Amino acid sequence: MKNVYLAVTLSTLLFLPVNTDADEPVEAVDLTYLERVSKTGLDDLFVRSGVSLDQFRKVVITPPGVSFREHWLRDQNRRRDGEKLKAQEMERIGARVSGQLVSLLETEFVERGYEVVPAPAQGVLIVDVQITDLDVVGPDTFPTTQVETFSEYSSSMTLEVQLLDGASDELLVWS
């Protein structure tokens, strides 16, 4: 299900007819030259005025940074009766999520006619994605056992996407 949401978000960012309404920018990122786009279904979407993403047919996907929800490891270990999770397993989960996101993004872009390239250049769009507040519920850390883990709660994360011009490193879209 998360794959569907990610695909919808990326499709919205890349293929959205943009109507901008100026609004106050979010403080964490310098959005000085960007304008808020309303009615997108996203929490926040800012686009550089006058920019068209139609000029880009190639993309570079930067490996996403992953950070877990505050106290995630402690909370996971409180719920476990047996062996506790270690920081190394948390790092492995983060790396796996990052790798799966890159793979998903590559597939989505290729299916939409983009070429995925290894380095930024003129005419290349840089896709910079960060995962924050990752909250994986019931991670399976014992792959050799034949036990499946179920949970009544779902996992969650915050996805921050920045699209930059590969030649100038100029921020074009932020969500």
Coordinates of all heavy atoms in Angstrom, one line a residue, residues 56-143:
F56 N 13.1 17.9 -18.4 CA 13.9 16.8 -17.9 C 13.4 15.5 -18.4 O 12.3 15.1 -18.2 CB 13.9 16.9 -16.4 CG 14.5 18.1 -15.8 CD1 13.6 19.1 -15.4 CD2 15.9 18.3 -15.7 CE1 14.1 20.3 -14.9 CE2 16.4 19.5 -15.2 CZ 15.5 20.5 -14.8
R57 N 14.3 14.6 -18.9 CA 14.0 13.3 -19.3 C 15.0 12.3 -18.7 O 14.9 11.1 -18.9 CB 14.0 13.1 -20.8 CG 13.0 13.9 -21.6 CD 11.6 14.0 -21.1 NE 11.0 12.7 -20.9 CZ 9.9 12.6 -20.1 NH1 9.3 13.6 -19.6 NH2 9.3 11.4 -19.9
K58 N 15.9 12.8 -17.9 CA 16.8 12.0 -17.2 C 16.8 12.4 -15.7 O 16.6 13.5 -15.4 CB 18.3 12.2 -17.7 CG 18.4 11.8 -19.1 CD 19.9 12.0 -19.6 CE 20.0 11.6 -21.1 NZ 21.4 11.9 -21.5
V59 N 17.0 11.4 -14.8 CA 17.0 11.6 -13.4 C 18.2 10.9 -12.7 O 18.7 9.9 -13.2 CB 15.7 11.2 -12.7 CG1 14.5 11.9 -13.2 CG2 15.5 9.7 -12.8
V60 N 18.7 11.6 -11.6 CA 19.6 10.9 -10.7 C 18.9 10.8 -9.4 O 18.3 11.8 -8.9 CB 20.9 11.9 -10.5 CG1 21.7 11.3 -9.3 CG2 21.7 11.9 -11.7
I61 N 18.9 9.6 -8.8 CA 18.2 9.4 -7.6 C 19.3 9.2 -6.5 O 20.1 8.3 -6.5 CB 17.3 8.1 -7.6 CG1 16.3 8.3 -8.7 CG2 16.7 7.9 -6.3 CD1 15.5 7.1 -9.1
T62 N 19.3 10.2 -5.6 CA 20.3 10.1 -4.5 C 19.8 9.1 -3.4 O 18.6 9.0 -3.2 CB 20.5 11.5 -3.8 OG1 19.3 11.9 -3.3 CG2 21.0 12.5 -4.8
P63 N 20.7 8.4 -2.9 CA 20.3 7.4 -1.8 C 19.7 8.2 -0.7 O 20.3 9.1 -0.1 CB 21.6 6.8 -1.4 CG 22.6 7.0 -2.5 CD 22.2 8.3 -3.1
P64 N 18.5 7.7 -0.3 CA 17.8 8.5 0.8 C 18.4 8.3 2.1 O 18.9 7.2 2.5 CB 16.4 7.8 0.8 CG 16.3 6.9 -0.4 CD 17.7 6.7 -0.9
G65 N 18.4 9.4 2.9 CA 18.8 9.3 4.3 C 17.6 8.8 5.1 O 16.4 9.0 4.7
V66 N 17.8 8.0 6.1 CA 16.7 7.4 6.9 C 16.9 7.7 8.3 O 18.0 7.4 8.9 CB 16.6 5.9 6.7 CG1 15.5 5.3 7.5 CG2 16.4 5.5 5.2
S67 N 15.9 8.2 9.0 CA 16.0 8.4 10.4 C 14.7 7.9 11.0 O 13.6 8.1 10.5 CB 16.2 9.9 10.8 OG 15.2 10.7 10.4
F68 N 14.9 7.2 12.1 CA 13.7 6.6 12.8 C 13.1 7.6 13.7 O 13.6 8.6 14.1 CB 14.2 5.4 13.6 CG 14.5 4.2 12.8 CD1 15.7 4.1 12.1 CD2 13.6 3.1 12.7 CE1 16.0 3.0 11.3 CE2 13.9 2.0 11.9 CZ 15.1 1.9 11.2
R69 N 11.8 7.2 14.1 CA 11.1 8.0 15.1 C 11.9 8.0 16.4 O 12.6 7.1 16.7 CB 9.7 7.3 15.3 CG 8.9 8.0 16.4 CD 7.6 7.2 16.6 NE 7.7 5.8 16.9 CZ 8.0 5.3 18.1 NH1 8.3 6.1 19.2 NH2 8.1 4.0 18.3
E70 N 11.8 9.1 17.1 CA 12.5 9.3 18.3 C 12.1 8.2 19.3 O 11.0 7.8 19.4 CB 12.2 10.6 18.9 CG 13.1 10.9 20.2 CD 12.9 12.3 20.7 OE1 11.9 13.0 20.3 OE2 13.6 12.7 21.6
H71 N 13.1 7.5 19.9 CA 12.9 6.4 20.9 C 12.3 5.2 20.2 O 11.8 4.3 20.9 CB 12.0 6.9 22.0 CG 12.5 8.1 22.7 ND1 13.8 8.1 23.3 CD2 11.9 9.3 22.9 CE1 13.9 9.4 23.9 NE2 12.8 10.1 23.6
W72 N 12.5 5.0 18.9 CA 11.9 3.8 18.2 C 12.5 2.5 18.8 O 11.8 1.6 19.1 CB 12.2 3.9 16.7 CG 11.7 2.7 16.0 CD1 10.4 2.5 15.6 CD2 12.4 1.6 15.6 NE1 10.3 1.3 14.9 CE2 11.5 0.7 14.9 CE3 13.7 1.2 15.8 CZ2 11.9 -0.5 14.4 CZ3 14.1 0.0 15.3 CH2 13.2 -0.9 14.6
L73 N 13.8 2.5 18.9 CA 14.5 1.3 19.3 C 14.1 0.9 20.8 O 13.8 -0.2 21.1 CB 16.0 1.4 19.2 CG 16.9 0.2 19.6 CD1 16.5 -1.0 18.6 CD2 18.3 0.5 19.5
R74 N 14.1 1.9 21.6 CA 13.6 1.7 23.0 C 12.2 1.1 23.1 O 11.9 0.1 23.8 CB 13.7 3.0 23.8 CG 13.3 2.8 25.3 CD 13.0 4.1 25.9 NE 11.8 4.7 25.2 CZ 11.4 5.9 25.4 NH1 12.0 6.8 26.1 NH2 10.3 6.3 24.8
D75 N 11.3 1.7 22.3 CA 9.9 1.3 22.3 C 9.8 -0.1 21.7 O 8.9 -0.9 22.2 CB 9.1 2.3 21.5 CG 9.0 3.6 22.2 OD1 9.4 3.8 23.4 OD2 8.6 4.6 21.5
Q76 N 10.5 -0.4 20.7 CA 10.5 -1.8 20.1 C 10.9 -2.8 21.2 O 10.3 -3.9 21.3 CB 11.3 -1.9 18.9 CG 10.8 -1.2 17.7 CD 9.4 -1.7 17.2 OE1 9.2 -3.0 17.2 NE2 8.5 -0.9 16.9
N77 N 12.0 -2.5 21.9 CA 12.5 -3.5 22.8 C 11.6 -3.6 24.1 O 11.6 -4.7 24.7 CB 13.9 -3.1 23.2 CG 14.9 -3.4 22.2 OD1 14.7 -4.3 21.4 ND2 16.0 -2.6 22.1
R78 N 10.9 -2.6 24.4 CA 9.9 -2.7 25.5 C 8.8 -3.7 25.2 O 8.2 -4.4 26.0 CB 9.3 -1.4 25.8 CG 10.2 -0.5 26.6 CD 9.4 0.8 27.0 NE 10.3 1.6 27.7 CZ 10.1 2.9 28.0 NH1 9.0 3.5 27.5 NH2 11.0 3.6 28.7
R79 N 8.4 -3.8 23.9 CA 7.3 -4.7 23.4 C 7.8 -6.1 23.3 O 7.0 -7.0 23.1 CB 6.8 -4.2 22.1 CG 6.1 -2.9 22.3 CD 5.4 -2.5 20.9 NE 5.1 -1.1 21.0 CZ 5.4 -0.2 20.1 NH1 6.1 -0.5 19.0 NH2 5.1 1.1 20.2
R80 N 9.1 -6.4 23.3 CA 9.6 -7.7 23.0 C 9.8 -8.5 24.3 O 10.3 -8.0 25.2 CB 10.9 -7.6 22.2 CG 10.8 -7.1 20.9 CD 12.2 -7.0 20.2 NE 12.1 -6.7 18.8 CZ 11.9 -7.5 17.8 NH1 11.9 -8.8 18.1 NH2 11.8 -7.1 16.6
D81 N 9.4 -9.8 24.2 CA 9.6 -10.6 25.4 C 11.0 -11.3 25.3 O 11.6 -11.5 26.4 CB 8.5 -11.7 25.4 CG 7.1 -11.2 25.7 OD1 7.1 -10.1 26.4 OD2 6.2 -11.8 25.3
G82 N 11.4 -11.7 24.2 CA 12.7 -12.4 24.0 C 13.8 -11.5 23.7 O 14.1 -10.5 24.4
E83 N 14.6 -11.9 22.7 CA 15.8 -11.2 22.3 C 15.5 -9.7 21.9 O 14.5 -9.5 21.1 CB 16.5 -11.9 21.2 CG 17.9 -11.4 20.9 CD 18.6 -12.3 19.9 OE1 18.3 -13.5 19.8 OE2 19.5 -11.8 19.2
K84 N 16.3 -8.8 22.3 CA 16.0 -7.4 22.0 C 16.7 -7.0 20.7 O 17.7 -7.6 20.3 CB 16.6 -6.5 23.2 CG 16.0 -6.8 24.5 CD 14.5 -6.6 24.6 CE 14.0 -6.9 26.0 NZ 12.6 -6.8 26.1
L85 N 16.2 -6.0 20.1 CA 16.8 -5.4 18.9 C 18.1 -4.7 19.2 O 18.2 -4.1 20.3 CB 15.9 -4.5 18.2 CG 14.7 -5.0 17.4 CD1 13.8 -3.9 16.9 CD2 15.2 -5.9 16.3
K86 N 19.1 -4.7 18.4 CA 20.3 -4.0 18.6 C 20.4 -2.8 17.6 O 19.7 -2.8 16.5 CB 21.5 -4.9 18.4 CG 21.5 -6.0 19.5 CD 22.7 -6.9 19.3 CE 22.8 -8.0 20.4 NZ 21.9 -9.1 20.2
A87 N 21.3 -1.9 17.8 CA 21.5 -0.8 16.9 C 21.9 -1.3 15.5 O 21.5 -0.6 14.5 CB 22.6 0.2 17.5
Q88 N 22.6 -2.4 15.4 CA 23.0 -2.9 14.1 C 21.8 -3.3 13.3 O 21.8 -3.1 12.1 CB 24.0 -4.1 14.2 CG 25.3 -3.7 14.8 CD 25.3 -3.8 16.4 OE1 24.2 -3.9 17.0 NE2 26.5 -3.7 17.0
E89 N 20.8 -3.9 14.0 CA 19.6 -4.3 13.3 C 18.8 -3.1 12.8 O 18.2 -3.1 11.7 CB 18.8 -5.2 14.2 CG 19.4 -6.6 14.3 CD 19.1 -7.3 15.6 OE1 18.8 -6.6 16.6 OE2 19.3 -8.5 15.7
M90 N 18.8 -2.1 13.6 CA 18.1 -0.8 13.3 C 18.8 -0.2 12.0 O 18.1 0.2 11.1 CB 18.2 0.1 14.4 CG 17.5 1.4 14.3 SD 17.5 2.3 15.8 CE 17.0 3.9 15.3
E91 N 20.1 -0.3 11.9 CA 20.8 0.2 10.8 C 20.5 -0.6 9.5 O 20.3 -0.1 8.4 CB 22.3 0.2 11.0 CG 22.8 1.3 12.0 CD 24.2 1.2 12.4 OE1 25.0 0.5 11.7 OE2 24.6 1.7 13.5
R92 N 20.4 -1.9 9.7 CA 20.1 -2.8 8.6 C 18.7 -2.5 8.1 O 18.5 -2.5 6.9 CB 20.2 -4.3 9.1 CG 20.0 -5.3 8.0 CD 20.0 -6.7 8.5 NE 19.1 -7.0 9.6 CZ 17.8 -7.2 9.5 NH1 17.2 -7.2 8.3 NH2 17.1 -7.5 10.5
I93 N 17.8 -2.3 9.0 CA 16.4 -2.0 8.6 C 16.4 -0.7 7.8 O 15.8 -0.6 6.7 CB 15.5 -1.9 9.8 CG1 15.3 -3.3 10.4 CG2 14.1 -1.3 9.4 CD1 14.6 -3.3 11.8
G94 N 17.1 0.3 8.3 CA 17.2 1.6 7.6 C 17.8 1.5 6.2 O 17.3 2.1 5.2
A95 N 18.8 0.7 6.1 CA 19.5 0.5 4.8 C 18.6 -0.2 3.8 O 18.5 0.1 2.6 CB 20.8 -0.3 5.0
R96 N 17.8 -1.2 4.4 CA 16.9 -2.0 3.5 C 15.8 -1.1 3.0 O 15.4 -1.1 1.8 CB 16.3 -3.1 4.3 CG 15.5 -4.1 3.5 CD 15.2 -5.3 4.3 NE 14.2 -6.1 3.5 CZ 13.5 -7.1 4.0 NH1 13.6 -7.4 5.3 NH2 12.7 -7.7 3.3
V97 N 15.2 -0.2 3.9 CA 14.2 0.7 3.5 C 14.7 1.7 2.4 O 14.0 1.9 1.4 CB 13.6 1.5 4.7 CG1 12.7 2.6 4.3 CG2 12.8 0.5 5.6
S98 N 15.9 2.2 2.6 CA 16.5 3.1 1.7 C 16.7 2.4 0.3 O 16.3 3.0 -0.7 CB 17.9 3.6 2.2 OG 18.5 4.4 1.3
G99 N 17.2 1.2 0.3 CA 17.4 0.5 -0.9 C 16.1 0.2 -1.7 O 16.0 0.3 -2.9
Q100 N 15.1 -0.2 -0.9 CA 13.8 -0.5 -1.5 C 13.2 0.8 -2.1 O 12.6 0.8 -3.2 CB 12.8 -1.1 -0.5 CG 13.2 -2.5 -0.1 CD 12.3 -3.0 1.0 OE1 11.6 -2.3 1.7 NE2 12.3 -4.3 1.1
L101 N 13.4 1.9 -1.5 CA 12.8 3.2 -2.0 C 13.6 3.6 -3.3 O 12.9 4.0 -4.3 CB 13.0 4.3 -1.0 CG 12.5 5.7 -1.4 CD1 11.0 5.6 -1.8 CD2 12.6 6.7 -0.3
V102 N 14.9 3.4 -3.3 CA 15.6 3.7 -4.6 C 15.1 2.8 -5.7 O 14.9 3.3 -6.8 CB 17.1 3.6 -4.4 CG1 17.9 3.5 -5.7 CG2 17.7 4.7 -3.5
S103 N 14.9 1.5 -5.4 CA 14.5 0.6 -6.4 C 13.1 1.0 -6.9 O 12.8 1.0 -8.1 CB 14.5 -0.8 -5.8 OG 14.0 -1.7 -6.7
L104 N 12.2 1.3 -6.0 CA 10.8 1.7 -6.4 C 10.9 3.0 -7.2 O 10.2 3.1 -8.3 CB 10.0 2.0 -5.1 CG 8.6 2.6 -5.3 CD1 7.7 1.6 -6.1 CD2 8.0 3.0 -4.0
L105 N 11.7 4.0 -6.8 CA 11.8 5.2 -7.6 C 12.3 5.0 -9.0 O 11.8 5.5 -10.0 CB 12.7 6.2 -6.9 CG 12.1 6.8 -5.6 CD1 13.2 7.6 -4.9 CD2 10.9 7.7 -5.9
E106 N 13.3 4.2 -9.1 CA 13.9 3.8 -10.4 C 12.8 3.2 -11.3 O 12.7 3.6 -12.5 CB 15.1 2.9 -10.3 CG 16.3 3.6 -9.8 CD 17.5 2.6 -9.5 OE1 17.3 1.4 -9.6 OE2 18.6 3.1 -9.2
T107 N 12.1 2.3 -10.8 CA 11.0 1.6 -11.5 C 10.0 2.6 -12.0 O 9.5 2.6 -13.2 CB 10.4 0.5 -10.7 OG1 11.4 -0.4 -10.4 CG2 9.2 -0.2 -11.4
E108 N 9.5 3.5 -11.1 CA 8.5 4.5 -11.4 C 9.0 5.4 -12.5 O 8.2 5.7 -13.4 CB 8.1 5.3 -10.1 CG 7.3 4.5 -9.1 CD 6.0 4.0 -9.6 OE1 5.3 4.8 -10.3 OE2 5.6 2.9 -9.3
F109 N 10.2 5.9 -12.4 CA 10.7 6.8 -13.4 C 10.9 6.2 -14.8 O 10.5 6.7 -15.8 CB 12.0 7.5 -12.9 CG 11.8 8.7 -12.0 CD1 12.0 8.5 -10.7 CD2 11.3 9.9 -12.5 CE1 11.8 9.6 -9.8 CE2 11.1 10.9 -11.6 CZ 11.3 10.8 -10.3
V110 N 11.4 5.0 -14.8 CA 11.6 4.3 -16.0 C 10.2 4.0 -16.7 O 10.1 4.2 -17.9 CB 12.4 2.9 -15.8 CG1 12.3 2.0 -17.0 CG2 13.8 3.3 -15.5
E111 N 9.3 3.6 -15.9 CA 7.9 3.3 -16.5 C 7.3 4.6 -17.1 O 6.4 4.5 -18.0 CB 7.0 2.7 -15.4 CG 7.3 1.3 -15.1 CD 6.4 0.8 -14.0 OE1 5.5 1.5 -13.5 OE2 6.6 -0.4 -13.6
R112 N 7.7 5.7 -16.6 CA 7.2 7.0 -17.1 C 8.1 7.6 -18.2 O 7.9 8.8 -18.6 CB 7.0 8.0 -16.0 CG 5.8 7.6 -15.2 CD 5.7 8.4 -13.9 NE 4.4 8.2 -13.2 CZ 4.1 7.1 -12.5 NH1 5.0 6.1 -12.4 NH2 3.0 7.0 -11.9
G113 N 9.1 6.8 -18.7 CA 9.9 7.3 -19.8 C 11.1 8.0 -19.5 O 11.8 8.6 -20.3
Y114 N 11.5 8.1 -18.2 CA 12.8 8.7 -17.8 C 13.9 7.8 -17.9 O 13.8 6.6 -17.6 CB 12.6 9.3 -16.4 CG 11.7 10.5 -16.3 CD1 10.4 10.3 -16.2 CD2 12.3 11.8 -16.2 CE1 9.5 11.4 -16.1 CE2 11.4 12.9 -16.1 CZ 10.1 12.7 -16.1 OH 9.2 13.8 -16.0
E115 N 15.1 8.3 -18.1 CA 16.3 7.5 -18.0 C 17.0 7.8 -16.7 O 17.2 8.9 -16.3 CB 17.3 7.9 -19.1 CG 18.6 7.1 -19.2 CD 19.5 7.6 -20.2 OE1 19.1 8.4 -21.1 OE2 20.7 7.2 -20.2
V116 N 17.3 6.7 -15.9 CA 18.0 6.9 -14.7 C 19.5 6.9 -15.0 O 20.0 5.9 -15.5 CB 17.6 5.8 -13.7 CG1 18.4 6.0 -12.4 CG2 16.1 5.8 -13.4
V117 N 20.2 8.0 -14.6 CA 21.6 8.1 -14.8 C 22.4 8.2 -13.5 O 21.8 8.5 -12.5 CB 21.9 9.4 -15.7 CG1 21.3 9.2 -17.1 CG2 21.4 10.6 -15.1
P118 N 23.7 7.9 -13.6 CA 24.5 7.9 -12.3 C 25.0 9.2 -11.8 O 25.3 9.3 -10.6 CB 25.7 7.0 -12.7 CG 25.9 7.2 -14.2 CD 24.5 7.4 -14.7
A119 N 25.0 10.3 -12.6 CA 25.5 11.6 -12.1 C 24.7 12.8 -12.7 O 24.2 12.7 -13.8 CB 27.0 11.7 -12.6
P120 N 24.7 13.8 -11.9 CA 24.0 15.1 -12.3 C 24.7 15.7 -13.5 O 25.9 15.6 -13.7 CB 24.1 16.0 -11.1 CG 24.5 15.2 -10.0 CD 25.2 14.0 -10.5
A121 N 23.9 16.3 -14.4 CA 24.5 17.0 -15.6 C 23.4 17.9 -16.1 O 22.3 18.0 -15.6 CB 24.9 16.0 -16.6
Q122 N 23.7 18.6 -17.2 CA 22.7 19.5 -17.9 C 21.5 18.6 -18.3 O 21.7 17.5 -18.9 CB 23.3 20.2 -19.1 CG 22.4 21.1 -19.8 CD 22.1 22.4 -19.0 OE1 23.0 22.8 -18.2 NE2 21.0 22.9 -19.2
G123 N 20.3 19.0 -18.0 CA 19.1 18.3 -18.5 C 18.8 17.1 -17.6 O 17.9 16.3 -17.9
V124 N 19.4 17.0 -16.4 CA 19.2 15.9 -15.5 C 18.5 16.4 -14.2 O 19.0 17.4 -13.7 CB 20.5 15.1 -15.1 CG1 20.2 14.1 -14.1 CG2 21.1 14.5 -16.4
L125 N 17.5 15.8 -13.8 CA 16.8 16.2 -12.6 C 17.3 15.3 -11.4 O 17.4 14.1 -11.5 CB 15.3 15.9 -12.8 CG 14.3 16.4 -11.7 CD1 14.3 17.9 -11.6 CD2 12.9 15.9 -11.9
I126 N 17.7 16.0 -10.4 CA 18.2 15.3 -9.2 C 17.0 15.1 -8.3 O 16.2 16.0 -7.9 CB 19.2 16.1 -8.4 CG1 20.4 16.4 -9.3 CG2 19.6 15.4 -7.1 CD1 21.4 17.4 -8.7
V127 N 16.7 13.8 -7.9 CA 15.6 13.5 -7.0 C 16.3 13.1 -5.7 O 16.9 12.1 -5.5 CB 14.8 12.3 -7.5 CG1 13.7 11.9 -6.6 CG2 14.3 12.5 -8.9
D128 N 16.1 14.0 -4.7 CA 16.7 13.9 -3.4 C 15.5 13.6 -2.4 O 14.7 14.5 -2.2 CB 17.4 15.2 -3.0 CG 18.0 15.1 -1.6 OD1 18.3 14.0 -1.2 OD2 18.2 16.1 -1.0
V129 N 15.5 12.4 -1.9 CA 14.4 12.0 -1.0 C 15.0 11.7 0.4 O 16.1 11.1 0.5 CB 13.7 10.7 -1.5 CG1 12.6 10.3 -0.6 CG2 13.3 10.9 -2.9
Q130 N 14.3 12.1 1.4 CA 14.7 11.8 2.8 C 13.5 11.2 3.5 O 12.4 11.6 3.4 CB 15.1 13.1 3.6 CG 16.3 13.8 2.9 CD 17.6 13.0 2.9 OE1 18.0 12.3 3.9 NE2 18.2 13.0 1.7
I131 N 13.8 10.1 4.3 CA 12.8 9.5 5.1 C 13.1 9.9 6.6 O 14.2 9.6 7.1 CB 12.9 7.9 5.0 CG1 12.6 7.5 3.5 CG2 11.9 7.3 5.9 CD1 12.8 6.1 3.2
T132 N 12.1 10.4 7.2 CA 12.2 10.8 8.6 C 11.1 10.2 9.4 O 10.1 9.8 8.8 CB 12.2 12.3 8.8 OG1 11.0 12.9 8.3 CG2 13.4 13.0 8.1
D133 N 11.3 10.1 10.7 CA 10.2 9.6 11.6 C 9.8 8.2 11.2 O 8.6 7.8 11.3 CB 9.0 10.5 11.7 CG 9.4 11.9 12.2 OD1 10.2 11.9 13.1 OD2 8.9 12.9 11.7
L134 N 10.7 7.3 10.7 CA 10.4 6.0 10.3 C 9.9 5.2 11.5 O 10.6 5.2 12.5 CB 11.5 5.3 9.6 CG 11.3 3.9 9.2 CD1 10.2 3.8 8.1 CD2 12.6 3.3 8.6
D135 N 8.8 4.6 11.4 CA 8.3 3.8 12.6 C 7.8 2.5 12.0 O 6.7 2.3 11.6 CB 7.1 4.5 13.2 CG 6.6 3.9 14.5 OD1 7.3 2.9 15.0 OD2 5.6 4.3 15.1
V136 N 8.8 1.5 12.0 CA 8.5 0.2 11.5 C 7.9 -0.6 12.7 O 8.5 -0.7 13.7 CB 9.8 -0.5 11.0 CG1 9.5 -1.9 10.5 CG2 10.4 0.3 9.9
V137 N 6.7 -1.2 12.5 CA 6.1 -1.9 13.5 C 6.4 -3.4 13.3 O 6.2 -3.9 12.2 CB 4.5 -1.7 13.5 CG1 3.9 -2.5 14.6 CG2 4.3 -0.2 13.8
G138 N 6.8 -4.1 14.4 CA 7.0 -5.5 14.4 C 8.0 -6.0 13.4 O 7.8 -6.8 12.6
P139 N 9.3 -5.4 13.3 CA 10.2 -5.8 12.3 C 10.6 -7.3 12.5 O 10.8 -7.7 13.6 CB 11.4 -4.9 12.6 CG 11.3 -4.5 14.0 CD 9.8 -4.4 14.3
D140 N 10.8 -8.0 11.4 CA 11.2 -9.4 11.5 C 12.7 -9.4 11.5 O 13.3 -9.2 10.5 CB 10.6 -10.1 10.2 CG 11.0 -11.6 10.2 OD1 11.4 -12.1 11.3 OD2 10.8 -12.2 9.2
T141 N 13.2 -9.7 12.6 CA 14.7 -9.8 12.8 C 15.2 -11.2 12.9 O 16.4 -11.4 13.1 CB 15.1 -9.0 14.0 OG1 14.5 -9.5 15.2 CG2 14.8 -7.5 13.9
F142 N 14.4 -12.2 12.8 CA 14.8 -13.6 12.9 C 14.4 -14.3 11.6 O 13.4 -15.1 11.6 CB 14.2 -14.2 14.1 CG 14.4 -13.4 15.4 CD1 13.3 -12.7 16.0 CD2 15.6 -13.3 16.0 CE1 13.5 -12.0 17.1 CE2 15.8 -12.6 17.1 CZ 14.7 -11.9 17.7
P143 N 15.1 -14.1 10.5 CA 14.7 -14.6 9.2 C 14.7 -16.1 9.1 O 14.2 -16.7 8.2 CB 15.6 -14.0 8.2 CG 16.8 -13.5 9.0 CD 16.3 -13.3 10.4

